[in-house]
Amino acid sequence: MDFSDVEKLASLSPFELKDALIKVASQGDRLMLNAGRGNPNFLATTPRHGFFQFGLFAMSEAERSYVYMDDVGGFPKRDGIEARFEIYVNQHRDVPGVRFIEAAVSYVRDQLGLSAGDFIYEMCEAILGCNYPVPDRMLRLSETIVGHYIHREMIGTHPFVGRFDMYAVEGGTAAMTYLFNSMRENHLITAGDTIALGMPIFTPYIEIPHLNDYSLVELAIDCGPETNWQYTRKELQKLLDPKVKAFFLCNPSNPPSVRMSDEVLQAIVEIVRKRPDLIILTDDVYGTFADNFTSLFAMCPHNTILVYSFSKYFGATGWRMGVVATHEDNILDRQIAALPEARRKQLDERYSSITTDPRGLKFIDRLVADSRTVALNHTAGLSTPVQAQMVMFSLFSLMDEPQAYKAAMKRIVLRRKQALYKELGIPMVFDPNSVRYYHLLDMEDIITQMYGAPFAAWALKQFRPNEALFRLARDTGVVLLPGRGFGTPHASGRVSLANLNEYDYANIGKSIRNLIDEYYALYQKRGAAAKTVPAKKAKK
Ligand SMILES: *Cc1c(COP(=O)(O)O)cnc(C)c1O
């Protein structure tokens, strides 16, 4: 491959560009190291065991009916289900996962104060998938239990007054799609409006507003390596402009994987005091990789929509599992209520088929209806077995008092980053706000640390955008995603620390080092050649 056409690829989303990089990287029988993917290569086992064992118990419930017919079962029976569950658990004590579901039922009853029988029944019906999701937004006890998980992980000990509602969705992906759509349908954002994006950011947040569906104007709130990827007060001041309708961000960020410092959170609280109408969407998919995480949802609950996904932390990308949360008292509902009468009438009409009181319909319930084009609202909602597994994940975390799973997750990614830096041969900076799911390798920074600023300046001029990534892929088989695609102007590569093994990261570090060494040798040779030129001529 010559690299004359890499510029054409620059307009592709990094996730599409990745396919081109993989093609270049997987030549011959050399090992390809794809560190471009965010998909983790680890997963939580115990709550999955729990799901399967609960499923087997649910089957025993189903098979109590229609005993005279092969292959046919009935619904679980609420009456006496708790006693039958106890018998089942006692009969299968040694099976992995049984102890977990027994503990889960105890936790739900003794710690959360919910009815054990109702919970067992809800789980059985959910796993068997024998009813439409009712309520469609989220199963009743499931919402309460997952709510406890979200509260602990996203709000923690931060004071939080009032309740929040949740909508269980098909991953963060669906959350984003539904939110953009419903915000537009309900005139919270209109074509031509300005939305601020906390950069760098997960690329769909850059790409979706540009689509003709939305035609929004984007305003970048930037940060860079010089502030350890924290937004400065000066950048955040841009949010004071009343033409900015909404502020979308990922916290911890993707790709820098850094959580907002307490200072930045506080600065945003102050901005929201001056801009009480500012809508915030915070995508906190990586929040659970941090200790004592505080979401903007906790700090500015009335303004903020929270998006959370179970994909990364539990290694559950195939389950398609996420939630949207809004405070019961929020500015979205207030802004919809304050729309001009003509628009309110039009919205009354839109939702009239599902309620006699469309004006009383909360934004989050509009989101549910819009996700199924309103007319199919009665069959809306996340597949119930997925909700059951979501409950198992949540209870697993809630019951893990010493937070051993979180510690294991943190250890895995830390060791991988250490392996990468050891082979790069430069010191790894410790940032207490980093959650290390991804890492942005800033080319200028790395090259400067290795061979000094003049060489770094020269080396960066040698490449067209993305060319370094293509060379790395071609020469070493290592695939990284371009940081530029995520909205950072710095030449950089995103390394996912989630999807390869420790020794692979060591190899990636070595490959990057080798490539830079080669260029350094070239640079020195040219330098030597330049010195042989007569001094007078060289001065020109
Ligand atoms: C991975 C990711 C998502 C998508 O998550 P899914 O639940 O798998 O759809 C959303 N937001 C961010 C920031 C992500 O990194």
Side-chain angles (χ1 to χ4, degrees):
M1 173 174 186
D2 73 3
F3 293 97
S4 53
D5 53 352
V6 295
E7 258 159 310
K8 271 188 267 165
L9 298 170
S11 70
L12 286 180
S13 136
F15 296 99
E16 306 298 334
L17 188 77
K18 180 189 70 196
D19 295 336
L21 285 164
I22 288 172
K23 223 156 101 198
V24 174
S26 36
Q27 277 159 10
D29 46 21
R30 184 197 47 208
L31 192 69
M32 193 246 312
L33 287 175
N34 180 4
R37 299 206 63 184
N39 201 107
N41 70 348
F42 42 76
L43 56 87
T45 54
T46 302
R48 282 177 166 88
H49 275 302
F51 175 83
F52 290 117
Q53 292 310 316
F54 228 126
L56 292 178
F57 171 71
M59 286 307 299
S60 74
E61 277 293 299
E63 288 175 340
R64 292 178 65 237
S65 306
Y66 298 92
V67 179
Y68 56 94
M69 288 174 80
D70 289 342
D71 306 325
V72 181
F75 279 38
K77 297 267 187 304
R78 171 66 185 84
D79 200 24
I81 199 168
E82 199 176 342
R84 291 193 296 281
F85 181 80
E86 253 171 56
I87 293 168
Y88 186 91
V89 162
N90 282 323
Q91 283 170 344
H92 299 86
R93 262 203 186 282
D94 301 331
V95 181
V98 170
R99 165 85 194 109
F100 170 75
I101 56 173
E102 184 187 28
V105 169
S106 154
Y107 187 88
V108 165
R109 181 185 52 218
D110 307 331
Q111 299 306 316
L112 304 184
L114 303 170
S115 155
D118 288 352
F119 170 64
I120 297 166
Y121 183 80
E122 185 169 302
M123 284 300 101
C124 286
E125 207 180 34
I127 292 179
L128 292 170
C130 52
N131 253 325
Y132 281 108
V134 178
D136 47 13
R137 190 155 55 70
M138 197 162 178
L139 300 180
R140 224 175 283 281
L141 296 177
S142 301
E143 186 184 358
T144 304
I145 294 164
V146 176
H148 279 284
Y149 168 67
I150 292 294
H151 195 120
R152 194 181 73 176
E153 292 293 332
M154 299 287 128
I155 301 168
T157 54
H158 191 82
F160 191 89
V161 180
R163 295 165 36 81
F164 59 86
D165 297 312
M166 285 195 303
Y167 173 22
V169 291
E170 300 83 353
T173 297
M176 292 165 64
T177 302
Y178 297 163
L179 281 165
F180 269 102
N181 178 49
S182 266
M183 288 176 78
R184 181 195 53 196
E185 289 298 343
N186 286 281
H187 310 291
L188 295 170
I189 47 173
T190 315
D193 278 353
T194 298
I195 61 165
L197 297 176
M199 298 282 204
I201 194 165
F202 184 47
T203 56
Y205 288 105
I206 304 175
E207 292 161 21
I208 295 170
H210 281 315
L211 298 175
N212 63 326
D213 310 37
Y214 299 103
S215 303
L216 299 167
V217 179
E218 293 177 3
L219 173 72
I221 307 294
D222 284 315
C223 67
E226 63 286 351
T227 59
N228 293 323
W229 304 102
Q230 298 293 337
Y231 302 112
T232 59
R233 275 180 186 264
K234 182 154 170 277
E235 274 297 308
L236 291 170
Q237 295 294 310
K238 292 181 186 168
L239 296 172
L240 290 174
D241 184 343
K243 82 166 190 284
V244 177
K245 285 277 169 69
F247 177 34
F248 289 13
L249 70 148
C250 294
N251 181 29
S253 49
N254 175 359
S257 253
V258 170
R259 66 191 273 180
M260 279 185 174
S261 67
D262 294 340
E263 208 187 339
V264 173
L265 286 174
Q266 202 50 49
I268 294 175
V269 169
E270 282 160 32
I271 282 167
V272 167
R273 255 184 226 133
K274 294 179 199 151
R275 281 287 324 269
D277 58 326
L278 181 68
I279 297 169
I280 298 174
L281 188 158
T282 191
D283 177 336
D284 295 0
V285 165
Y286 300 102
T288 33
F289 287 88
D291 288 323
N292 308 316
F293 177 71
T294 312
S295 169
L296 270 180
F297 183 58
M299 307 293 289
C300 310
H302 308 292
N303 295 64
T304 304
I305 303 167
L306 171 73
V307 170
Y308 179 70
S309 160
F310 292 73
S311 285
K312 310 288 170 38
Y313 190 58
F314 297 98
T317 45
W319 272 104
R320 312 311 301 128
M321 197 184 280
V323 289
V324 175
T326 52
H327 194 275
E328 59 183 346
D329 171 19
N330 64 68
I331 62 162
L332 307 155
D333 291 331
R334 275 182 252 155
Q335 287 182 18
I336 292 169
L339 287 170
E341 187 56 25
R343 288 209 152 156
R344 296 192 77 194
K345 282 227 171 76
Q346 173 245 322
L347 288 173
D348 290 348
E349 187 128 339
R350 178 174 176 83
Y351 297 111
S352 64
S353 66
I354 60 170
T355 171
T356 53
D357 174 26
R359 294 197 175 189
L361 198 63
K362 295 192 226 180
F363 173 74
I364 199 158
D365 292 312
R366 293 170 189 238
L367 194 64
V368 177
D370 292 334
S371 78
R372 299 296 182 267
T373 332
V374 186
L376 290 156
N377 181 64
H378 60 295
T379 57
L382 182 62
S383 153
T384 60
V386 182
Q387 296 198 47
Q389 178 71 83
M390 189 189 281
V391 169
M392 294 295 130
F393 285 146
S394 298
L395 285 170
F396 167 65
S397 286
L398 286 166
M399 293 190 297
D400 182 9
E401 293 271 0
Q403 302 259 64
Y405 183 76
K406 187 183 294 258
M409 291 297 102
K410 290 173 57 186
R411 220 162 39 235
I412 289 174
V413 290
L414 172 63
R415 287 175 56 159
R416 290 173 180 180
K417 189 169 174 183
Q418 286 169 333
L420 175 74
Y421 269 83
K422 184 157 169 269
E423 291 300 328
L424 271 177
I426 56 178
M428 184 187 122
V429 177
F430 182 82
D431 176 357
N433 288 314
S434 172
V435 296
R436 305 189 187 90
Y437 191 91
Y438 302 107
H439 183 55
L440 256 187
L441 286 171
D442 188 87
M443 294 308 165
E444 186 177 353
D445 181 49
I446 292 173
I447 300 173
T448 304
Q449 285 196 56
M450 286 180 185
Y451 294 114
F455 169 62
W458 175 85
L460 288 177
K461 266 193 263 155
Q462 304 308 303
F463 301 118
R464 282 172 288 239
N466 299 328
E467 190 179 334
L469 294 179
F470 274 96
R471 273 189 202 276
L472 189 67
R474 185 194 63 181
D475 299 349
T476 70
V478 170
V479 174
L480 310 182
L481 295 191
R484 276 210 182 92
F486 294 84
T488 173
H490 298 253
S492 55
R494 184 186 89 162
V495 187
S496 164
L497 295 168
N499 76 332
L500 295 169
N501 295 310
E502 213 168 298
Y503 56 84
D504 294 321
Y505 291 100
N507 282 330
I508 290 173
K510 211 178 297 169
S511 300
I512 295 172
R513 169 121 218 152
N514 288 344
L515 191 70
I516 295 173
D517 281 349
E518 259 171 52
Y519 273 85
Y520 188 60
L522 194 68
Y523 174 73
Q524 282 185 311
K525 220 163 39 186
R526 288 198 184 172
K531 276 188 201 123
T532 62
V533 175
K536 238 163 88 190
K537 218 174 170 186
K539 263 191 183 157
K540 278 195 187 164

